[in-house]
Amino acid sequence: MLLMFSLQFEHFTKLCIFQGNSTLTMSQQNALNTYMAQNKPINGRIYESPALSQAHNEPANATFGGCFNSYNSSWAPSKNNGQSFTPLFQSTPKQYGGPFKHSSWRKATPSYTPRRQASNLGSVRLRLIDLELNDTTTFSLNNSHTRSLRSTLPVWAIDENGGVSESVTLKDVLANKALFEFATDKNGCRFLQEQYPADSDGGIHDDIFRRMVEDRSLFLSMCRNMFGNFFVQRMVECSNNEEQEIVMEHLVTDMYTLCLDKSACRVIQLAVQKLETHLASRLAAELRDADLVRLSIDQNGNHVIQKIIKTLPVSAWDFVVKFFCNDEHLIAVCQDKYGCRVVQSTIEKLSEDPELECYSQRLHLLQKLMVGITRNCGQLASNEFANYVVQHVVNCGGAMETFRDIIIEQCLLRNLLSMSQEKYASHVVEVAFLRAPHRLAFEMMEEIFEGYIPHPDTHRDALDILLFHQYGNYVIQQMINICCNAIIGRSEHHLEQKEIEQYTKWLERIKERVSRNSNRLERFSSGKKIIEALQASSIGTLMSPPAGQYY
């Protein structure tokens, strides 16, 4: 393969390398075109270098596909260090001097690709970035993830720093039909956002809006563009009722794929927030039959679903809750790092203040959703991301207290020892100890101290196991914290004297067990934390959980 490449390179170089200011003859040009056609690379590019017409517009130190720009030309394509610029390949070749000759350097061709020599090739050099077969300046608006070093601003609008000239106005942009070139450029897009009139004035505002929306496919492409989407957002913010109707009609035609796009999802979110409620609800309705699992777990789509849930009335997105009532869908979404946030946002919205509108409808949907979460609580609590959903349910107050107690009673009790030894489920147990009402907290304490028969050979009980377990020791720390709160009167619930005495007995049992195993506990950082917590409790100091420990 190396030999084949070397022979091709030798043949190609004989056609291309010349001295001084010599140019290609017509026959040499035809031979070069024939060679390129026979060895046409994938996508029409060699090493993915930019087109010749694009390369000449680049700064002198720009790189393309790992190849440095060997020209020292300035930004403007008509200049080359103050001298007129002559394209390397011309449609009508000109003859300068005698016939074409190879340089002395190429008379003895080695069998391998030679190193590039210093200056024997003359003043014009052949570069990899010049080997562009498709010499066009067409740019794509459809891919928001494709970044280009090339500015799309027209030459007449550029100042000496590569930005938009101060003399340029919106009328100039429209008159020169350069609106989309400006919108897809970083500096041009910023210019449009700053200059676009906030209110419909029957003039430039209306002309620009009409130009942007007259072609639906082009408008949707602008939504997906990495710069253009910001100008579309500006248009949505400043739109009147009639303009909002047009924007909505465009967006609903491709709602699902727009939600999955990195740039277009921002336009959708702003449209949901800014459009009139009935128009935004039509956008949400387009997702009723869509793949909500994929939308919920997508890094872009999940933000759209959350925006719909937090912004629109529940009647506009009740189909989302009904979709989550299916166990398969619920588990798939909860076990994703993005999807778990969607479910938590749904719970937050459904359990909002009873004084707000549609509370009876929200409560009905909440009950249906919680049936599925409770039924699959064990599986969810043990998952890396789904455990946050269970924690969220346990942490919430108000209407969620009933479901919190159901989860503790049906899922956690009688499983505390096993769940406390799991990496993710142990977090759920900690939060349950912290948020449980006194009745359930009492049962949980009793289960740890008295609920498990010691091992017949080692005589280790649940407290011994958890003290030395890499995850279970955090549950013990939380138990110490709860006992301290109860004793010093900082419990969230009012406790009778008998109840306080019981917490004191539990704390003393933990102290006695820790004291018996202090030498072993001091070998581990977790054991040292338990010892420090007990020492703090002996002088009446509260050990508070670290901020953000559970979220």
Side-chain angles (χ1 to χ4, degrees):
M1 182 175 293
L2 179 60
L3 178 59
M4 183 181 299
F5 176 81
S6 300
L7 293 175
Q8 290 178 346
F9 181 87
E10 176 185 352
H11 174 67
F12 178 75
T13 310
K14 288 180 180 180
L15 294 174
C16 299
I17 299 181
F18 47 89
Q19 291 180 325
N21 293 323
S22 298
T23 58
L24 297 178
T25 66
M26 181 65 73
S27 60
Q28 292 163 353
Q29 177 72 49
N30 293 336
L32 176 61
N33 293 338
T34 301
Y35 173 82
M36 287 183 171
Q38 294 174 351
N39 299 273
K40 187 174 182 180
I42 299 175
N43 299 328
R45 295 180 180 268
I46 295 180
Y47 301 128
E48 291 297 322
S49 301
L52 177 63
S53 59
Q54 300 176 20
H56 295 330
N57 288 340
E58 292 297 334
N61 61 350
T63 61
F64 308 93
C67 302
F68 282 92
N69 186 348
S70 60
Y71 283 110
N72 293 320
S73 60
S74 59
W75 195 92
S78 60
K79 297 180 180 180
N80 185 18
N81 289 338
Q83 314 226 345
S84 62
F85 178 81
T86 303
L88 182 59
F89 302 124
Q90 303 183 26
S91 58
T92 305
K94 297 180 180 180
Q95 293 291 338
Y96 292 97
F100 179 84
K101 295 181 180 181
H102 294 298
S103 67
S104 58
W105 173 77
R106 281 303 286 144
K107 289 181 179 178
T109 304
S111 60
Y112 59 91
T113 304
R115 296 180 180 270
R116 184 172 60 181
Q117 301 301 313
S119 58
N120 293 338
L121 301 183
S123 59
V124 180
R125 303 172 186 173
L126 183 68
R127 306 167 299 161
L128 285 179
I129 60 173
D130 293 327
L131 305 182
E132 171 60 54
L133 303 184
N134 184 19
D135 187 16
T136 63
T137 57
T138 305
F139 57 90
S140 174
L141 300 177
N142 293 327
N143 191 351
S144 66
H145 308 293
T146 302
R147 297 177 177 268
S148 174
L149 294 174
R150 182 175 61 86
S151 172
T152 61
L153 290 176
V155 176
W156 57 264
I158 301 172
D159 62 15
E160 58 185 5
N161 297 319
V164 180
S165 175
E166 294 182 357
S167 61
V168 176
T169 64
L170 291 178
K171 291 184 178 180
D172 296 332
V173 175
L174 286 178
N176 289 276
K177 299 181 179 180
L179 180 59
F180 295 102
E181 286 80 359
F182 270 72
T184 53
D185 179 82
K186 180 179 180 180
N187 295 321
C189 179
R190 184 180 294 112
F191 168 82
L192 292 179
Q193 293 179 69
E194 294 173 351
Q195 300 296 322
Y196 186 69
D199 301 318
S200 177
D201 53 5
I204 195 67
H205 173 106
D206 296 350
D207 292 340
I208 291 178
F209 184 88
R210 190 180 307 110
R211 179 73 181 89
M212 287 288 292
V213 301
E214 63 184 2
D215 187 326
R216 176 172 296 174
S217 62
L218 196 54
F219 174 81
L220 297 180
S221 296
M222 291 295 298
C223 293
R224 297 185 179 96
N225 186 267
M226 61 183 299
F227 297 126
N229 79 90
F230 292 106
F231 181 52
V232 176
Q233 291 182 58
R234 174 64 176 167
M235 290 174 50
V236 173
E237 285 183 327
C238 302
S239 59
N240 55 36
N241 292 338
E242 181 181 355
E243 293 170 342
Q244 288 186 7
E245 184 84 25
I246 297 174
V247 169
M248 183 274 300
E249 290 177 353
H250 282 356
L251 295 180
V252 295
T253 60
D254 201 15
M255 183 70 176
Y256 180 75
T257 57
L258 290 175
C259 292
L260 299 176
D261 186 83
K262 180 179 180 180
S263 299
C265 73
R266 302 169 184 161
V267 177
I268 299 297
Q269 291 177 69
L270 187 71
V272 169
Q273 185 175 351
K274 295 295 184 180
L275 297 187
E276 294 293 329
T277 302
H278 70 283
L279 297 178
S281 298
R282 284 189 58 185
L283 291 179
E286 286 298 314
L287 302 177
R288 183 176 295 273
D289 298 323
D291 185 354
L292 292 181
V293 170
R294 183 183 176 188
L295 273 178
S296 299
I297 67 177
D298 184 77
Q299 62 178 337
N300 304 313
N302 82 90
H303 296 293
V304 176
I305 299 295
Q306 291 189 62
K307 180 64 70 173
I308 290 174
I309 291 172
K310 295 178 179 179
T311 305
L312 300 181
V314 66
S315 57
W317 50 271
D318 57 352
F319 64 91
V320 176
V321 182
K322 296 175 182 177
F323 183 84
F324 289 157
C325 289
N326 179 290
D327 285 358
E328 183 179 352
H329 298 160
L330 177 67
I331 294 174
V333 174
C334 287
Q335 292 184 344
D336 181 79
K337 62 181 177 180
Y338 302 116
C340 68
R341 279 301 308 153
V342 174
V343 177
Q344 291 178 66
S345 297
T346 305
I347 294 173
E348 289 174 2
K349 188 65 178 180
L350 293 177
S351 60
E352 274 186 343
D353 190 348
E355 301 298 327
L356 298 179
E357 60 180 354
C358 302
Y359 178 70
S360 58
Q361 182 182 5
R362 288 190 283 118
L363 184 60
H364 174 69
L365 293 173
L366 180 63
Q367 290 173 342
K368 295 179 64 176
L369 177 61
M370 288 308 305
V371 168
I373 293 178
T374 303
R375 182 167 53 239
N376 300 281
C377 180
Q379 182 177 352
L380 298 178
S382 301
N383 182 262
E384 178 181 6
F385 302 110
N387 78 90
Y388 292 109
V389 175
V390 183
Q391 286 189 57
H392 189 73
V393 174
V394 176
N395 256 318
C396 289
M400 296 301 299
E401 291 182 352
T402 301
F403 303 110
R404 173 201 65 194
D405 296 349
I406 292 175
I407 285 181
I408 293 177
E409 288 181 314
Q410 297 184 5
C411 179
L412 301 188
L413 287 176
R414 295 171 297 282
N415 297 297
L416 289 177
L417 180 58
S418 59
M419 295 182 70
S420 296
Q421 297 177 77
E422 295 184 22
K423 181 176 183 179
Y424 303 112
S426 61
H427 293 292
V428 177
V429 176
E430 289 179 63
V431 176
F433 265 113
L434 188 64
R435 299 300 183 188
H438 171 70
R439 174 181 62 84
L440 293 178
F442 192 91
E443 290 188 38
M444 295 173 71
M445 287 284 190
E446 281 292 310
E447 179 175 334
I448 295 296
F449 286 109
E450 306 291 347
Y452 298 95
I453 301 174
H455 192 278
D457 298 328
T458 62
H459 305 291
R460 297 181 64 198
D461 58 9
L463 186 59
D464 278 327
I465 294 173
L466 297 181
L467 274 176
F468 293 95
H469 195 272
Q470 60 177 334
Y471 306 125
N473 77 89
Y474 291 101
V475 176
I476 299 299
Q477 293 181 48
Q478 189 65 269
M479 293 170 62
I480 295 173
N481 182 44
I482 294 172
C483 291
C484 292
N485 282 333
I487 293 170
I488 65 179
R490 294 189 181 181
S491 175
E492 296 181 0
H493 312 283
H494 175 71
L495 301 176
E496 301 291 338
Q497 185 61 34
K498 292 182 178 180
E499 296 170 340
I500 296 176
E501 292 176 356
Q502 183 61 57
Y503 279 107
T504 304
K505 292 180 180 179
W506 286 330
L507 184 60
E508 290 300 323
R509 290 185 64 176
I510 296 176
K511 284 184 178 181
E512 185 273 332
R513 194 67 57 88
V514 170
S515 176
R516 187 194 310 170
N517 298 278
S518 59
N519 291 335
R520 291 177 57 198
L521 288 171
E522 288 177 350
R523 301 175 189 174
F524 310 98
S525 59
S526 56
K528 292 178 181 179
K529 291 180 180 179
I530 293 176
I531 294 174
E532 291 172 359
L534 289 175
Q535 291 174 347
S537 68
S538 64
I539 59 176
T541 302
L542 174 64
M543 184 193 75
S544 300
Q549 179 176 345
Y550 308 112
Y551 277 89

